[in-house]
Amino acid sequence: MLMRCPNCNGRDIGKIGSQNYYCWTCFIEMTVVNNELTVHQIESDGSLSSLNDLFSEEELRLQ
């Protein structure tokens, strides 16, 4: 799957789980569910904070 980061538009995406990806450019984690991304920031304690409210539905939909 060729995908771009919705945050930085980069292609330096690594796969870290069966449906989980990581952007090595802007350091966010993405999960693919039903051809849509959920986007998270990794906090210093290792927890995830949702960034979905920063993006439109179109930006989060895989092409």
Side-chain angles (χ1 to χ4, degrees):
M1 173 187 309
L2 185 61
M3 55 192 278
R4 288 186 180 266
C5 175
N7 187 51
C8 71
N9 208 30
R11 290 189 184 264
D12 194 9
I13 307 291
K15 189 169 186 170
I16 58 173
S18 62
Q19 296 297 318
N20 298 69
Y21 299 86
Y22 185 77
C23 179
W24 290 100
T25 304
C26 67
F27 314 112
I28 63 170
E29 187 172 315
M30 296 163 278
T31 304
V32 177
V33 178
N34 296 327
N35 274 346
E36 290 186 357
L37 291 174
T38 57
V39 183
H40 296 92
Q41 174 178 305
I42 302 170
E43 302 296 341
S44 58
D45 66 359
S47 64
L48 298 176
S49 297
S50 177
L51 299 176
N52 285 350
D53 58 337
L54 301 176
F55 303 99
S56 69
E57 286 183 28
E58 184 175 304
E59 290 174 306
L60 295 176
R61 191 174 312 118
L62 294 179
Q63 303 300 322

